[in-house]
Amino acid sequence: MSILAGNATRLVVQGITGSEGSFHTGQMVEYGTRVVAGVTPGKGGQKDANGIPIFNTVTQAKAETGANTSVIFVPPPFAADAILEAVSAELGLVICITEGIPTADMVKVQSVLAESATRLIGPNCPGIITPGECKIGIMPGFIHEAGKVGVISRSGTLTYEAVAQLTALGLGQTTAIGIGGDPIIGSTFTDLLKLYAQDDATQAVVLIGEIGGSAEEEAAAWIQSSGMSKPVIAFIAGQTAPPGRRMGHAGAIVSGGQGTAESKMAALKAAGIHVCDSPATIGATVRDALG
Amino acid sequence: MKIHEYQGKAIFAEFGVPVPEGYVAFTVDEAVAAAKKLGGKVVVKAQIHAGGRGKGGGVKLAGGPDEVREIAESILGMQLVTHQTGPEGKKVERLLVEKASDIDRELYAGIVLDRAKGRYVMMVSTEGGMEIEKVAAETPEKIVKEWIIPGYDLQPFQLRRLAYALELQGDQVKKGMQTLQALWRAFVARDCSLMEVNPLVVTSDGEVIALDAKLNFDDNALYRQTGLADLRDLSEENPHEVEASKYNLNYIKLDGNVGCMVNGAGLAMGTMDIIKLHGGDPANFLDVGGVANAETVANGFRIILDDPHVKTVLINIFGGIVRCDRIAEGIITAMGQVQVDLPVVVRMEGTNAELARKMLAESNLEFIVATTLEDAAQKAVAAAKGGQA
């Protein structure tokens, strides 16, 4: 079992002919993901290097191939429009990999998403993977292994670190999701915790947060109020980050004393969540929590 | 990106936000000339990218040109220390000389992103001139907020609410509403990430004007803001950070002695954290991005090693799509290009990590090769301490 992505995924790649899009399409196909279509306006009717048909619009791609999920590799100035196009085509799931989308664009996208049935993951994220079934995004597939732990993270390589620890301990992952490092993202920790809570195969969830915003505190509040019984193991990056500085990710900033690692760790601990001080102990903490 | 107050006020004026008449001065003579042009009482304000300038002695009232000369001589070139600059302060190289306002009331107005709601929010308070974080913490009821509907202006009812919350009277209500709307329009049109007017003042003749202007911009939107990038004042930024940004490296200087080179922002923060946990202190944050090749590694080395506090360098790479053996090749090449006399701890994990470790071990260079993240942190901290002894 898994959440959001799996054997039923039929993927359309928006921006399939760009350098990132074409490279990662190859990687996804190699992993076994069913990539059924690509979209590049003006290149409709052509095929990509893997023989995948290219369409001018997402609506066409969906009508012709039955695509139900989109991944976006479109450059930042055009990425918000690409998300809106996928929403308009009524795809159920959209994963936006693009880093560098203006915040004001995402505020508008967010208001449209709220009125739609589409779920957005990202932007500025590595994507989502259900090991052995489907990889949507840019993560290295081979470090993952089908298993029993859900992973939700605001970071890329730090997620790989946690995943590699879980794989090394034989725990594996059900589905691992990078939700993105931007201040405005489509799906939050809480949105996804709700899905993992209902997924039978997921026995524990790793939550990798970082400084900035209040999404971790909100997740802690939800875990406490919902009485989620599966163990949640958290690590918060940026305990040593200076206030007022943006730490790489657009959303990783402590401003006006808000969004510190300390406050997030305290909120998570208060909700009964296992909080690791070190990113090196995430895997072992999951193992111990599962007993 | 941040800009100076005088630059912010120019943007305000463009959008119809009333600001006092004023001129920027880079020299004492320019400041005196500005005072003569303005006539009467003027305010001389140090232009640095930090708040709390008044308390630090960077804002002074002057009766006329002679007094301005005296003040400008003392402020220009001084190291201005405020609660936001750190103990070393910031050197004042520009002044704003503007007409003094006859202040009746000091208010606050600001616009920020409410991340949880996914909307921009305008906040106002009658407690102008104070640190707004303090007001928010101690008397949150004194901050009134209106969330902007995406794609719309502030609505008239919202502007009325804000104006009444500011306890504006009579004609001031309309003037205040116009000013707040103009602030929002400037915010949107210029892709700001933060805007603060502290204080927004009501003058004794009932005008509502912006006496201060703090504007930050969304770096991701600079591509569509012509002219904005020219307002960047590089002297306000750490020279190493400016240098790093030229190579598309994300570098932030810290106070410790363990230099860090990591791929990915989250892992870079995590690496700093684990160094601290093992009793060390990170010297920097450095994300070399997804493509850690010889060139990025060499540039990273140059920037890290330019910090005299650095005693050791920890390279922590999680190879995904980019294979570790390629990165090892890059590190070995970079070490040939840059003179590195400090211990270098390398930890690589992911695709072809074992091959990469072997390549490092077999090179003629001296690496301390680490396996796990924990091992890397311990070795780096030990190396830094050894270097100090």
Side-chain angles (χ1 to χ4, degrees):
Chain A
M1 278 291 287
S2 59
I3 66 167
L4 298 173
N7 288 328
T9 298
R10 296 177 66 81
L11 188 69
V12 50
V13 181
Q14 291 178 254
I16 193 167
T17 54
S19 63
E20 291 284 303
S22 59
F23 175 76
H24 288 290
T25 298
Q27 297 280 315
M28 291 188 286
V29 168
E30 197 177 300
Y31 192 78
T33 307
R34 278 212 285 180
V35 183
V36 297
V39 170
T40 296
K43 295 199 175 165
Q46 302 179 17
K47 289 195 168 172
D48 91 328
N50 305 286
I52 296 161
I54 302 174
F55 299 88
N56 285 322
T57 69
V58 176
T59 305
Q60 264 180 318
K62 183 188 172 191
E64 301 283 329
T65 66
N68 55 16
T69 302
S70 155
V71 63
I72 295 173
F73 289 100
V74 171
F78 319 107
D81 180 62
I83 299 172
L84 292 175
E85 184 181 358
V87 173
S88 161
E90 299 184 346
L91 293 179
L93 179 65
V94 178
I95 295 105
C96 185
I97 307 300
T98 310
E99 174 174 9
I101 303 177
T103 304
D105 293 7
M106 282 310 299
V107 168
K108 288 182 189 158
V109 166
Q110 191 80 323
S111 72
V112 174
L113 277 172
E115 305 293 315
S116 81
T118 301
R119 174 183 298 283
L120 173 69
I121 303 285
N124 189 10
C125 76
I128 169 169
I129 183 168
T130 294
E133 293 187 26
C134 170
K135 158 180 133 103
I136 309 170
I138 60 173
M139 67 290 277
F142 81 97
I143 60 170
H144 299 80
E145 198 174 85
K148 49 190 172 188
V149 184
V151 179
I152 322 172
S153 170
R154 283 170 67 185
S155 150
T157 42
L158 192 51
T159 315
Y160 309 161
E161 183 73 48
V163 161
Q165 288 174 26
L166 293 171
T167 297
L169 291 169
L171 298 166
Q173 306 87 37
T174 48
T175 300
I177 307 175
I179 57 174
D182 277 0
I184 304 263
I185 50 173
S187 298
T188 63
F189 287 120
T190 308
D191 294 334
L192 299 172
L193 279 170
K194 288 176 186 170
L195 301 183
Y196 281 120
Q198 285 163 17
D199 177 48
D200 292 341
T202 301
Q203 295 179 18
V205 181
V206 170
L207 187 157
I208 301 173
E210 62 190 28
I211 55 165
S214 56
E216 292 82 358
E217 286 89 336
E218 285 149 28
W222 180 81
I223 289 166
Q224 209 158 23
S225 67
S226 71
M228 176 164 171
S229 55
K230 296 176 186 180
V232 177
I233 294 84
F235 172 72
I236 305 294
Q239 298 165 44
T240 50
R245 301 304 308 269
R246 214 168 281 284
M247 307 301 285
H249 292 154
I253 180 167
V254 173
S255 51
Q258 302 290 304
T260 62
E262 207 181 356
S263 115
K264 291 171 188 298
M265 290 166 78
L268 291 162
K269 276 181 193 159
I273 293 158
H274 307 264
V275 179
C276 309
D277 290 328
S278 160
T281 58
I282 297 170
T285 310
V286 175
R287 181 195 56 205
D288 297 347
L290 286 173
Chain B
M1 190 186 90
K2 295 179 181 179
I3 60 172
H4 289 295
E5 174 195 359
Y6 76 92
Q7 296 166 323
K9 282 180 169 167
I11 291 174
F12 278 0
E14 197 185 316
F15 285 85
V17 178
V19 293
E21 188 187 353
Y23 303 96
V24 64
F26 292 83
T27 65
V28 174
D29 287 342
E30 281 174 14
V32 173
K36 282 181 181 159
K37 211 158 155 186
L38 291 166
K41 279 187 191 170
V42 297
V43 183
V44 181
K45 304 179 84 174
Q47 300 292 290
I48 57 166
H49 289 182
R53 292 170 297 163
K55 274 184 202 156
V59 179
K60 298 243 151 86
L61 186 68
D66 291 344
E67 220 175 319
V68 167
R69 179 173 295 281
E70 219 170 280
I71 292 168
E73 275 170 354
S74 72
I75 297 181
L76 265 179
M78 80 183 277
Q79 288 294 124
L80 182 54
V81 180
T82 80
H83 69 285
Q84 289 184 353
T85 60
E88 71 283 3
K90 268 188 177 171
K91 192 177 177 188
V92 181
E93 293 177 353
R94 308 176 190 200
L95 299 173
L96 171 62
V97 183
E98 67 180 19
K99 214 168 211 158
S101 302
D102 204 352
I103 300 167
D104 183 24
R105 294 173 60 220
E106 291 192 52
L107 312 171
Y108 169 92
I111 307 172
V112 295
L113 176 70
D114 181 332
R115 294 167 59 153
K117 282 199 161 63
R119 292 188 174 193
Y120 292 108
V121 59
M122 177 171 273
M123 302 182 291
V124 301
S125 174
T126 52
E127 307 302 293
M130 297 180 44
E131 267 178 62
I132 200 66
E133 288 85 3
K134 214 171 165 188
V135 178
E138 289 166 13
T139 49
E141 71 283 0
K142 288 189 172 165
I143 297 177
V144 175
K145 300 176 179 179
E146 285 292 336
W147 284 267
I148 290 119
I149 305 166
Y152 288 82
D153 265 343
L154 274 157
Q155 298 300 295
F157 78 91
Q158 296 181 304
L159 291 164
R160 283 196 297 275
R161 271 191 203 155
L162 294 170
Y164 291 128
L166 287 173
E167 296 168 14
L168 298 176
Q169 310 291 332
D171 283 353
Q172 298 168 8
V173 174
K174 201 174 154 200
K175 286 173 181 163
M177 287 170 66
Q178 281 168 351
T179 298
L180 296 177
Q181 185 74 285
L183 288 172
W184 165 244
R185 287 183 180 160
F187 185 98
V188 160
R190 288 288 174 266
D191 275 307
C192 292
S193 57
L194 176 144
M195 180 184 280
E196 276 192 298
V197 185
N198 194 13
L200 175 76
V201 301
V202 181
T203 62
S204 52
D205 48 3
E207 298 299 321
V208 182
I209 64 173
L211 222 54
D212 192 19
K214 178 178 176 186
L215 281 76
N216 293 356
F217 301 93
D218 180 358
D219 293 336
N220 288 346
L222 285 178
Y223 74 89
R224 63 186 179 196
Q225 292 291 340
T226 42
L228 213 50
D230 301 339
L231 301 182
R232 187 171 170 195
D233 180 358
L234 294 177
S235 73
E236 285 283 335
E237 299 173 36
N238 178 290
H240 295 109
E241 296 180 14
V242 174
E243 183 74 8
S245 69
K246 286 183 195 158
Y247 306 119
N248 284 322
L249 296 175
N250 217 321
Y251 172 89
I252 292 171
K253 189 180 171 331
L254 303 169
D255 299 329
N257 59 12
V258 182
C260 305
M261 201 184 318
V262 188
N263 67 333
L267 188 59
M269 278 189 275
T271 304
M272 286 158 43
D273 294 345
I274 197 169
I275 287 169
K276 186 89 178 177
L277 271 176
H278 285 91
D281 272 306
N284 65 280
F285 167 92
L286 175 58
D287 172 11
V288 293
V291 191
N293 56 29
E295 197 192 343
T296 52
V297 173
N299 288 328
F301 266 130
R302 286 192 192 100
I303 289 158
I304 290 175
L305 295 174
D306 220 33
D307 176 353
H309 301 294
V310 171
K311 301 283 181 210
T312 183
V313 180
L314 168 57
I315 302 179
N316 182 20
I317 302 285
F318 200 106
I321 301 297
V322 182
R323 291 160 16 207
C324 287
D325 54 317
R326 284 279 180 79
I327 297 166
E329 233 174 71
I331 294 171
I332 292 165
T333 311
M335 296 272 280
Q337 294 169 358
V338 185
Q339 174 88 16
V340 184
D341 299 325
L342 302 173
V344 177
V345 180
V346 185
R347 181 264 178 162
M348 286 198 276
E349 188 55 76
T351 320
N352 290 1
E354 219 160 299
L355 173 62
R357 283 195 282 269
K358 193 162 160 262
M359 285 167 64
L360 293 177
E362 288 172 0
S363 73
N364 294 324
L365 301 156
E366 285 208 19
F367 292 105
I368 301 170
V369 179
T371 51
T372 63
L373 190 49
E374 184 121 33
D375 184 36
Q378 278 164 354
K379 282 177 171 154
V381 172
K385 287 192 172 148
Q388 276 171 329

